[in-house]
Amino acid sequence: MRMDERKKRVLAAVVQDYILTGEPVGSRTIARRYNLGVSPATIRNEMADLEEMGLLEQPHTSAGRIPSDSGYRYYVDCLMAPEKLTPAEEEYVRRRYNQKMLEIEQVLEETARLLSEMTAYTAVALGPYQNNAVLEQVQVLPVYSTNKALLVAITSTGLVEHRLFVIPENVTPEDLSRISRVLNAKLQGLALEELRLEVLKDIYREVAEHRGLIKQVIDLLQQVLALESGEKVYLEGILNILSQPEFKNLEKVKDILAFLEREEALRRIFNAAPGSGLTVRIGQENKEEGIDKCSVVTISYAVEGRIRGKVGLLGPTRMHYSRAISVLQCVADSLSRALEQFYR
Amino acid sequence: MRMDERKKRVLAAVVQDYILTGEPVGSRTIARRYNLGVSPATIRNEMADLEEMGLLEQPHTSAGRIPSDSGYRYYVDCLMAPEKLTPAEEEYVRRRYNQKMLEIEQVLEETARLLSEMTAYTAVALGPYQNNAVLEQVQVLPVYSTNKALLVAITSTGLVEHRLFVIPENVTPEDLSRISRVLNAKLQGLALEELRLEVLKDIYREVAEHRGLIKQVIDLLQQVLALESGEKVYLEGILNILSQPEFKNLEKVKDILAFLEREEALRRIFNAAPGSGLTVRIGQENKEEGIDKCSVVTISYAVEGRIRGKVGLLGPTRMHYSRAISVLQCVADSLSRALEQFYR
DNA sequence: TTTAGCACTCTTAAGCCAAGAGTGCTAAGA
DNA sequence: TCTTAGCACTCTTGGCTTAAGAGTGCTAAA
């Protein structure tokens, strides 16, 4: 069976109408609403063909057709018209990023919120990636009235992490400040994976005492800056899932929420997309449990040409793809620009 | 109508059975399962009385009875037998707190997780309160390759906050370190509300230049340590709500989730309880929107006799109160002890 | 190749009925 | 006076039937 022009128009009509209404769409509806210039009977024939090709399916004999995963796939790849955001919306996005946001965490959280608000889907922001990150700054501060110290680390990706830890009795604030100086001198510019034994030895040469303490600090550093700790997941608009008519069934909602609660699964889904650019994964194409009735649209954001993380949307397969993609592109673009400025 | 001994036993039986099964309970069931030594007919009379007293209600004529909010209230206040946790469970809780947890955020997050896991309800941990907190330590660190600096503040409650901010071109790392010294000398031990103009003037007297910068730092400090920023909300086990048979109705679930998404509302509910100790709020007693079919049990945790925050559980009014309370008490106790050690 | 016409299928909502659960009332018994 | 057996009554639930409605697929004619 070949895909001719009219079949495409029928498929597009079915997908669009179904996305709009959520009801299976029949031949009569299409004939009436989309003037293809042919009768319902002709459209019926085309729909039967499209079903045989696996692009449409019927919930039951006497219902209209709904797109299959492949149907959506074809629509997204070949038929969908890109939908421009209105200037007002673009302006709105720009304004949201013009607020003073100095911490990258804040920027990403705000991004997820913006996305979910503009699309009424569940939004995710992920990042920043810590591969290629190097240590910018390390500091060990005394916490005066306790037996603790605070380790603060800043990476080149703008991530700030800290951790309190117990120090031995005999360590003075001066010791800590000296250790900070040495650590900074030795570690600055090092990639996280380079925090190895050699470095430790090198540092030992500088500082005679407090070896245990230094070892402890380096261990903590590795812990705190472990790769996955950088890829934080910001999730917004969970409630939106419940508003989708296809998820009236409590069981499905449960599956999806269970998925969203498993942060590693979320990370996997979002990082599965190869490299940069826009990815649309539809229904069964999502290999994680619980979201085989969902579509996930992701796009990466970058700073200075290097991918720093992902943002994306999760909704039903009956997703308003063109809208979702436009919003995502606009937001990712503004986000990249905001971060560009952030990293200077 | 007076409450006699037998009425109490019948009410207790109804509540217990309903909590157990989730089904309206009839007179026959009670006669069979709880041997009160009287016939179903007698129990029927008692139940009619209890209904008239407003403690029980009937979903419809031919169904059994279910407890009303007042019924639960009476049960919780007067009838409920405290339920001890098994030694194994107490040991389990203790073990969970024996892990190395050095950041208070981590401890509270873990607490919420533990609570939700042990009760299958939604769990909340809130804190630490920042009233009475004083500044422990302030530091401004240069971030070398950028035009930014990092402000780090530690309060006496163990809260660590940081914020990146842009500094003028002409500020050197030495300047920052000097500023840090002065800030520390002047601000240490000060309550957050005391960061006022006088302090600023006092500092200006020490440092001739960089007044703008110092002003900026103080402003940031106030922002970062604003009261509510301390009372973080840790939420776990949202999914548990969906498992409750009374929330099969999607609308109710939506209401509850909407409530849980509004952090201020959560804070209000948890802080509404006067002072310390255990609070049980049942159904309509909860004045926030969306949770009038839920019960909220809260308890405060304290360090050195001072309340530092709250933990609690949210479930259906058909909650296993004795279990919830026991778990909560045990966990709050362990939490307090863990923090005692944390603050040394 | 297109389309009008029509029989056919399947869902949905409504109505009805029988079964089951549980009640309230009454009258007899302790 | 309190308790309880007995019974009629009410209300929900599930199953069944029916009618309406939507939409299809097929056939035959244009």
Side-chain angles (χ1 to χ4, degrees):
Chain A
M1 191 95 48
R2 292 238 1 254
M3 196 72 174
D4 58 29
E5 205 46 46
R6 196 170 62 194
K7 279 194 179 47
K8 288 183 187 174
R9 292 185 63 191
V10 172
L11 177 58
V14 172
V15 174
Q16 277 163 30
D17 206 80
Y18 185 60
I19 286 175
L20 209 67
T21 65
E23 300 290 320
V25 4
S27 53
R28 233 179 81 82
T29 314
I30 290 190
R32 212 176 335 108
R33 264 184 235 171
Y34 306 78
N35 40 358
L36 306 189
V38 290
S39 74
T42 309
I43 293 173
R44 250 186 331 262
N45 289 332
E46 296 289 24
M47 284 167 99
D49 289 353
L50 287 166
E51 181 167 2
E52 202 177 326
M53 294 162 76
L55 300 174
L56 294 181
E57 38 194 51
Q58 258 181 316
H60 53 265
T61 339
S62 71
R65 303 298 208 296
I66 62 176
S68 67
D69 287 357
S70 322
Y72 285 121
R73 169 55 59 205
Y74 193 94
Y75 174 74
V76 168
D77 289 345
C78 311
L79 305 178
M80 183 176 64
E83 177 187 306
K84 279 293 281 178
L85 296 192
T86 67
E89 285 179 316
E90 291 191 335
E91 174 60 21
Y92 178 71
V93 172
R94 233 170 291 128
R95 285 247 294 286
R96 286 284 286 260
Y97 280 102
N98 271 348
Q99 294 172 52
K100 248 203 233 157
M101 294 183 287
L102 284 163
E103 296 276 338
I104 193 162
E105 278 99 337
Q106 210 182 338
V107 178
L108 290 175
E109 200 180 313
E110 186 65 10
T111 297
R113 190 159 312 156
L114 178 60
L115 278 174
S116 110
E117 184 193 300
M118 289 186 71
T119 61
Y121 297 126
T122 303
V124 176
L126 193 101
Y129 291 157
Q130 292 303 93
N131 53 353
N132 298 307
V134 299
L135 271 171
E136 188 78 64
Q137 171 87 303
V138 183
Q139 198 80 26
V140 183
L141 303 172
V143 183
Y144 290 120
S145 63
T146 66
N147 61 342
K148 296 215 187 75
L150 181 74
L151 167 68
V152 181
I154 313 176
T155 70
S156 56
T157 54
L159 195 75
V160 180
E161 293 283 358
H162 59 79
R163 186 65 56 95
L164 286 165
F165 65 103
V166 176
I167 52 175
E169 288 285 338
N170 61 337
V171 177
T172 66
E174 287 69 39
D175 288 336
L176 290 182
S177 128
R178 192 153 53 89
I179 288 175
S180 293
R181 259 201 315 281
V182 174
L183 285 178
N184 253 315
K186 296 294 178 187
L187 301 183
Q188 205 173 43
L190 246 56
L192 307 181
E193 309 86 53
E194 296 178 282
L195 297 176
R196 292 269 173 282
L197 209 59
E198 314 89 76
V199 186
L200 205 60
K201 285 204 184 122
D202 196 22
I203 294 172
Y204 284 167
R205 233 169 287 137
E206 297 276 329
V207 197
E209 70 281 22
H210 303 312
R211 295 202 164 187
L213 183 58
I214 290 175
K215 176 82 169 61
Q216 194 183 0
V217 170
I218 302 264
D219 283 352
L220 270 185
L221 261 182
Q222 290 191 308
Q223 223 183 84
V224 165
L225 298 175
L227 270 184
E228 69 272 20
S229 87
E231 296 178 26
K232 298 213 175 90
V233 175
Y234 302 87
L235 193 58
E236 286 286 335
I238 298 184
L239 207 52
N240 290 339
I241 293 169
L242 302 191
S243 310
Q244 301 297 340
E246 36 266 90
F247 299 135
K248 253 183 242 146
N249 183 337
L250 210 47
E251 280 313 304
K252 278 183 202 149
V253 174
K254 240 192 237 182
D255 288 347
I256 300 173
L257 288 193
F259 165 76
L260 292 176
E261 276 197 354
R262 289 184 301 128
E263 214 170 80
E264 354 68 74
L266 257 174
R267 271 208 204 98
R268 268 202 303 275
I269 274 289
F270 273 72
N271 287 331
S276 73
L278 187 77
T279 325
V280 181
R281 230 145 333 123
I282 298 167
Q284 308 257 15
E285 295 171 12
N286 292 300
K287 290 309 177 199
E288 293 294 331
E289 201 172 343
I291 53 167
D292 54 330
K293 295 276 184 286
C294 296
S295 284
V296 179
V297 187
T298 64
I299 195 168
S300 55
Y301 59 89
V303 181
E304 291 168 356
R306 167 164 288 162
I307 297 175
R308 283 299 163 87
K310 303 255 176 181
V311 292
L313 291 164
L314 182 145
T317 48
R318 186 183 74 82
M319 180 189 267
H320 197 320
Y321 292 97
S322 54
R323 166 88 186 161
I325 289 171
S326 302
V327 171
L328 214 45
Q329 280 172 334
C330 174
V331 168
D333 197 55
S334 286
L335 170 61
S336 293
R337 230 156 348 173
L339 290 181
E340 203 82 54
Q341 201 173 6
F342 175 81
Y343 288 125
R344 192 76 15 161
Chain B
M1 191 93 51
R2 294 239 356 257
M3 196 70 174
D4 57 29
E5 204 47 46
R6 196 170 63 192
K7 280 196 179 42
K8 288 184 189 174
R9 292 185 63 192
V10 171
L11 177 57
V14 172
V15 174
Q16 277 164 31
D17 206 81
Y18 185 59
I19 285 175
L20 208 67
T21 65
E23 299 291 319
V25 3
S27 53
R28 234 179 82 83
T29 314
I30 291 191
R32 215 179 329 109
R33 266 184 236 171
Y34 306 78
N35 41 357
L36 306 188
V38 290
S39 75
T42 308
I43 293 173
R44 248 184 336 261
N45 289 331
E46 297 288 26
M47 283 166 99
D49 289 353
L50 288 166
E51 180 167 2
E52 201 178 324
M53 294 163 78
L55 300 174
L56 293 182
E57 37 194 50
Q58 257 180 316
H60 53 265
T61 339
S62 71
R65 302 301 208 293
I66 64 176
S68 67
D69 286 358
S70 323
Y72 285 121
R73 167 58 59 205
Y74 193 93
Y75 174 76
V76 168
D77 288 346
C78 310
L79 306 178
M80 183 177 64
E83 179 188 305
K84 280 292 279 178
L85 297 191
T86 66
E89 284 179 316
E90 293 193 332
E91 173 61 20
Y92 178 70
V93 172
R94 232 171 292 130
R95 284 248 295 284
R96 286 284 287 260
Y97 282 101
N98 271 348
Q99 293 171 53
K100 252 204 230 154
M101 293 184 287
L102 285 163
E103 297 277 338
I104 193 163
E105 280 99 337
Q106 209 182 339
V107 178
L108 290 174
E109 199 181 314
E110 186 65 10
T111 298
R113 189 158 313 156
L114 178 60
L115 278 173
S116 109
E117 183 193 299
M118 288 184 73
T119 61
Y121 298 126
T122 303
V124 176
L126 193 101
Y129 291 156
Q130 291 305 94
N131 53 353
N132 298 307
V134 298
L135 271 172
E136 189 76 64
Q137 170 86 300
V138 183
Q139 198 81 25
V140 184
L141 302 174
V143 183
Y144 290 119
S145 62
T146 68
N147 60 343
K148 297 213 186 75
L150 181 74
L151 167 67
V152 182
I154 313 176
T155 71
S156 56
T157 53
L159 195 74
V160 180
E161 292 284 357
H162 59 79
R163 186 66 55 96
L164 285 166
F165 65 104
V166 176
I167 51 175
E169 287 285 339
N170 61 339
V171 178
T172 65
E174 288 70 37
D175 289 336
L176 290 181
S177 127
R178 193 154 53 89
I179 289 175
S180 291
R181 258 201 315 281
V182 175
L183 285 177
N184 252 317
K186 297 292 177 188
L187 301 182
Q188 205 172 45
L190 245 57
L192 307 181
E193 308 87 55
E194 295 178 281
L195 296 175
R196 293 271 173 278
L197 210 60
E198 315 89 78
V199 185
L200 206 58
K201 286 205 182 118
D202 196 21
I203 295 172
Y204 283 168
R205 230 168 289 138
E206 296 276 330
V207 197
E209 69 282 23
H210 302 313
R211 294 200 167 191
L213 182 59
I214 289 174
K215 177 83 168 62
Q216 193 182 2
V217 169
I218 303 263
D219 283 352
L220 269 185
L221 261 182
Q222 289 191 309
Q223 221 184 83
V224 164
L225 298 176
L227 269 186
E228 69 274 20
S229 86
E231 296 179 26
K232 296 211 176 93
V233 176
Y234 302 87
L235 192 60
E236 286 287 335
I238 298 182
L239 206 52
N240 289 339
I241 294 168
L242 301 191
S243 310
Q244 301 296 340
E246 36 266 271
F247 300 135
K248 254 183 242 149
N249 184 337
L250 211 45
E251 280 313 303
K252 279 184 201 149
V253 173
K254 241 194 236 180
D255 288 347
I256 300 175
L257 288 193
F259 164 77
L260 291 177
E261 276 198 354
R262 289 183 301 128
E263 215 170 78
E264 354 68 74
L266 257 174
R267 270 208 204 98
R268 268 200 304 276
I269 275 287
F270 273 72
N271 288 332
S276 73
L278 187 77
T279 326
V280 180
R281 233 149 327 126
I282 298 167
Q284 308 256 16
E285 295 171 14
N286 291 300
K287 289 308 176 201
E288 293 295 330
E289 201 172 346
I291 53 166
D292 55 328
K293 295 275 183 288
C294 297
S295 284
V296 179
V297 186
T298 64
I299 196 169
S300 55
Y301 59 89
V303 181
E304 290 167 357
R306 166 163 287 162
I307 297 175
R308 284 298 164 87
K310 303 255 179 182
V311 292
L313 291 166
L314 182 147
T317 48
R318 187 183 74 82
M319 181 188 266
H320 197 319
Y321 292 98
S322 54
R323 165 87 186 162
I325 290 171
S326 303
V327 170
L328 214 45
Q329 280 172 331
C330 174
V331 167
D333 198 55
S334 286
L335 169 61
S336 293
R337 233 160 341 176
L339 291 181
E340 203 82 55
Q341 201 173 7
F342 176 81
Y343 289 125
R344 191 77 17 161

